[in-house]
Amino acid sequence: MRVIEGGGQRRQDEPLVSRDAVARVLMEAGVDLLLRRISTARAAEIERKVDRVLDLFDRVDAAPLLMPVLQRHLDELEALMRETRQVRAPARRGG
């Protein structure tokens, strides 16, 4: 395991432009699920969308014409995450 410097500070919401950024969305959802800030259904939906996006990243490498499809799915995942962050925001302030 590798230690990542960051001082425990929450990272600003980043645009989903890379596989790494998409993977961080999955980790964020996992943490939110463990802390019971989101439902299992929402976490499953995020996981499903992340899996689809990661698959599309691989497919775009072989067929760049699929980039518009990947972008549409990235936009949908970003929208879901914005909604998720708004849903969980009140719980964070109260803690």
Side-chain angles (χ1 to χ4, degrees), residues 63-83:
L65 290 175
L66 291 173
M67 188 61 189
V69 176
L70 171 59
Q71 189 58 56
R72 186 178 74 243
H73 284 275
L74 285 168
D75 292 344
E76 290 173 6
L77 180 57
E78 280 188 356
L80 178 60
M81 289 310 296
R82 269 192 309 276
E83 178 185 297

Side-chain angles (χ1 to χ4, degrees), residues 1 12 18-19 27 40 45 50 62 66 69 76 81 84:
M1 205 146 79
Q12 292 292 341
S18 69
R19 289 174 176 90
M27 288 183 271
T40 55
E45 178 67 8
V50 164
L66 291 173
V69 176
E76 290 173 6
M81 289 310 296
T84 298

Side-chain angles (χ1 to χ4, degrees), residues 25-51 77 80-81 84:
V25 162
L26 188 58
M27 288 183 271
E28 179 182 341
V31 169
D32 286 341
L33 180 62
L34 287 172
L35 295 174
R36 298 179 183 196
R37 294 190 291 206
I38 63 172
S39 68
T40 55
R42 183 173 291 269
E45 178 67 8
I46 292 168
E47 181 181 12
R48 188 184 67 74
K49 287 187 180 292
V50 164
D51 287 345
L77 180 57
L80 178 60
M81 289 310 296
T84 298

